[in-house]
Amino acid sequence: MIAPDGEPLDVLIVGAGTTGLAAALFAHDYGAHVRIIDRRPDAPRFSRAFLVQPRTLEVLRPHGVIDELLALGDPSPQVHLHLRRRCVPVRPGELRLPNTAFPNFLLVRQADVEAVLRRALRNRGVEVEWESQFTSYRADKGVVCEVTHHGVRRQIAARFLIGCDGSTSTVRATAGISWDGAAYPREILLADVELDGDVQPGIAHIGLHRQGLLFLLPTGEAAQWRVLTAQPPNRTHAPTDRHHLQHLFDRAHLHAHITGIPWSERVRVQHRIASRYRRGPVFLAGDAAHTFSPAGGQGMNTGIQDAAGLGWKLAFAARLPGRSNATLLRSYAAERRPVAQQVLLLTHLLFWAEAGRGPVPSLLRIAFSSAGAPLVPLLLRRRRLLTYAVQLLAQLRRHYRHSPLTVEDARGSTAVAAPAGERIPDEEVTVNGARQQLHHLIATPAIHMLLQRDTSWEVPLIPNGRLRVHRVRSWPGTGTVIVRPDGYIGFRSGSGTQGATEWLTLVGASPTRS
């Protein structure tokens, strides 16, 4: 397709939040010509998300933004859990998840994440086109989109369109995709507050009471502290009512006096999933495809991982002729929609325990606030159970075993314990006579083909732009593992490279002989 500026456009992205920015970055780095538009006049200042998971850091790593993110956030946050008159220190960083270069969650503002992604795109020559309102599209060997910019109507043509325009997505509505689910009978109150009292700075505080949890985070943007708590959806108390907020602090046993509230808002909470993630050349990602409760910090992370699963596929598909990209395009919804369904169930359960209004969650919170102080250290010592739960929250256990892009050859033995469809775990390996971490080896934007020590391969071990081939000398045997750009194993065989070329051809990364 030809865009009005005369350049061939592969992907048009609507929405410049974290998901849209990540999708633009991923698609660009795999060779797609992209544009990203947003109806807002500029980037929003205030954040609604504050936690980046290890799995999200893994998918961002090949794109050169990790050092900046780590510098802006806290890679080992501490938490004080306030249970009535007891304050229980919790140090999640001491757990250190195995098999990943990022063993802890990163506490960082959503606004900072977006600023880092915008800078990365700007360095690649891609600028967000603000005040550009998407209104409609028509399918025509791709899409032709109607966009209004400063009151002027324009057309933008592209091979593919990604709707990353939030829970009220115009792209989703225009595509005729239903939005299944409902609103919670609660809202999230967010406020930046100035405090005076006995609250240790630089630490996240969680207060527990009968009606729910109150989070006090050292990530405020208009003041030092940010408050998050669930509230009934009524306007009896304005978000900026200091007496109401002080009452919440007192109930949660946070011994601090609120001296100022320079900013606050209420956010509607929903649990919804789009009935489909694709209609022809139109795709949905992030909050346009799913929206959850904030419990567990899953929303922003799930959106970025949507972008990781979609960006490379559209870039590769744009170079495949005719219908040869059908399987590649079909795989996005087959992989990511089941993940969203699992995340929705998890966040629904967590939000019920955190803010449910019925007698059962209320009694559970009362019991834990009374007896939880001595139980927390005991729970923290159950490392195996705790590691499993944290890996689940960190989305390190999500898999694509049933994806049309997953191929497992059961013959022979492979050096990688994880089957095809799972993320490849990190470990120390020997390549080119040097020891290094596997995740460092594959931290470049490409498909990575890992040959065991004795595997026969006729093509020279040189990159072809989309494929990098590595011989892992510390892996004896004749197996082959192909790692997708998003870090999942697409192909695994214990008996040579038979079938590997077919897989590479399927995704448009077939090696060239020289």
Side-chain angles (χ1 to χ4, degrees):
M1 301 299 297
I2 304 298
D5 58 9
E7 296 182 6
L9 183 62
D10 295 315
V11 183
L12 175 64
I13 299 161
V14 179
T18 47
T19 300
L21 293 166
L25 180 64
F26 297 148
H28 175 277
D29 283 359
Y30 291 105
H33 178 60
V34 304
R35 290 174 67 177
I36 178 168
I37 65 174
D38 195 293
R39 66 185 178 186
R40 297 170 295 182
D42 202 346
R45 175 183 177 185
F46 294 104
S47 304
R48 293 183 177 180
F50 302 91
L51 205 63
V52 176
Q53 301 164 350
R55 181 70 191 117
T56 303
L57 295 172
E58 287 182 353
V59 299
L60 288 168
R61 184 180 185 181
H63 303 276
V65 298
I66 289 300
D67 289 344
E68 195 173 357
L69 283 175
L70 293 177
L72 290 171
D74 183 353
S76 185
Q78 297 184 51
V79 178
H80 279 182
L81 186 60
H82 297 262
L83 303 173
R84 295 200 172 185
R85 294 178 177 83
R86 297 284 298 275
C87 177
V88 182
V90 179
R91 295 175 176 83
E94 294 180 356
L95 181 63
R96 297 190 65 81
L97 297 173
N99 305 320
T100 177
F102 307 104
N104 301 314
F105 290 79
L106 177 68
L107 185 66
V108 62
R109 301 179 186 93
Q110 177 184 353
D112 291 333
V113 176
E114 292 179 1
V116 169
L117 295 176
R118 283 196 304 273
R119 282 192 289 271
L121 285 169
R122 186 176 300 120
N123 292 338
R124 291 157 169 81
V126 179
E127 292 280 356
V128 177
E129 301 174 37
W130 300 107
E131 295 186 275
S132 296
Q133 172 72 56
F134 169 88
T135 56
S136 64
Y137 78 91
R138 71 176 188 273
D140 182 12
K141 297 181 180 178
V143 290
V144 178
C145 301
E146 294 283 342
V147 176
T148 302
H149 180 67
H150 292 299
V152 179
R153 295 181 63 186
R154 303 161 55 193
Q155 287 190 340
I156 301 177
R159 287 286 302 275
F160 304 109
L161 170 66
I162 309 179
C164 303
D165 49 342
S167 60
T168 58
S169 171
T170 304
V171 173
R172 186 186 63 239
T174 306
I177 298 173
S178 64
W179 191 222
D180 303 333
Y184 284 104
R186 307 285 272 177
E187 293 177 334
I188 298 299
L189 168 63
L190 299 103
D192 282 354
V193 298
E194 298 164 350
L195 298 177
D196 182 21
D198 187 21
V199 178
Q200 188 170 343
I203 291 176
H205 298 265
I206 303 176
L208 179 66
H209 56 87
R210 182 187 181 97
Q211 283 73 35
L213 273 66
L214 186 144
F215 296 85
L216 182 64
L217 306 177
T219 54
E221 290 158 293
Q224 180 181 5
W225 295 99
R226 170 64 58 85
V227 175
L228 295 90
T229 189
Q231 291 286 285
N234 63 62
R235 304 300 174 182
T236 302
H237 299 287
T240 53
D241 186 332
R242 188 185 303 178
H243 297 292
H244 173 61
L245 199 53
Q246 184 66 58
H247 178 60
L248 297 179
F249 267 64
D250 296 340
R251 287 195 308 176
H253 303 282
L254 291 172
H255 304 296
H257 178 66
I258 300 172
T259 59
I261 308 176
W263 171 85
S264 64
E265 73 170 348
R266 286 176 179 261
V267 179
R268 185 184 183 191
V269 189
Q270 304 178 75
H271 52 97
R272 297 183 187 274
I273 296 182
S275 59
R276 55 194 300 171
Y277 274 26
R278 176 196 176 196
R279 187 178 292 279
V282 180
F283 296 81
L284 302 177
D287 285 353
H290 47 71
T291 184
F292 319 118
S293 86
Q298 302 292 298
M300 177 174 68
N301 291 276
T302 306
I304 293 175
Q305 291 173 47
D306 287 345
L310 182 59
W312 74 271
K313 292 175 183 176
L314 296 189
F316 281 36
R319 303 294 178 262
L320 287 171
R323 296 183 175 275
S324 59
N325 61 18
T327 301
L328 188 59
L329 297 178
R330 179 167 55 89
S331 68
Y332 170 65
E335 294 172 357
R336 294 305 300 171
R337 196 168 184 278
V339 167
Q341 291 172 319
Q342 295 165 16
V343 172
L344 187 145
L345 290 174
L346 174 64
T347 56
H348 199 64
L349 177 61
L350 291 174
F351 197 60
W352 173 83
E354 174 187 320
R357 301 177 66 183
V360 174
S362 297
L363 289 173
L364 288 174
R365 289 191 292 265
I366 292 172
F368 191 77
S369 64
S370 301
L375 288 177
V376 171
L378 294 176
L379 292 172
L380 292 176
R381 285 198 289 268
R382 300 294 297 270
R383 288 302 178 102
R384 181 177 295 183
L385 179 62
L386 187 61
T387 297
Y388 180 88
V390 175
Q391 285 177 326
L392 193 64
L393 283 174
Q395 299 200 25
L396 291 169
R397 290 187 170 271
R398 306 296 178 196
H399 65 81
Y400 304 149
R401 292 179 202 150
H402 305 297
S403 167
L405 296 186
T406 296
V407 177
E408 173 83 14
D409 185 347
R411 295 173 297 175
S413 61
T414 64
V416 177
E422 292 191 2
R423 61 174 282 276
I424 191 164
D426 197 15
E427 63 174 282
E428 192 175 64
V429 295
T430 300
V431 178
N432 296 327
R435 300 289 290 177
Q436 62 180 296
Q437 291 301 122
L438 178 58
H439 282 195
H440 175 75
L441 176 70
I442 63 175
T444 53
I447 289 175
H448 293 268
M449 187 170 182
L450 308 175
L451 306 178
Q452 292 179 224
R453 184 182 62 201
D454 306 312
T455 304
S456 175
W457 179 245
E458 298 177 2
V459 179
L461 304 186
I462 57 174
N464 75 346
R466 294 190 168 192
L467 173 67
R468 293 180 181 269
V469 184
H470 315 272
R471 188 172 298 280
V472 184
R473 298 291 179 181
S474 54
W475 289 354
T478 59
T480 302
V481 174
I482 301 178
V483 184
R484 302 172 5 163
D486 51 9
Y488 288 90
I489 300 171
F491 175 90
R492 187 179 76 153
S493 171
S495 57
T497 60
Q498 184 177 359
T501 301
E502 289 81 356
W503 190 92
L504 294 170
T505 300
L506 177 68
V507 301
S510 180
T512 55
R513 297 178 183 269
S514 61

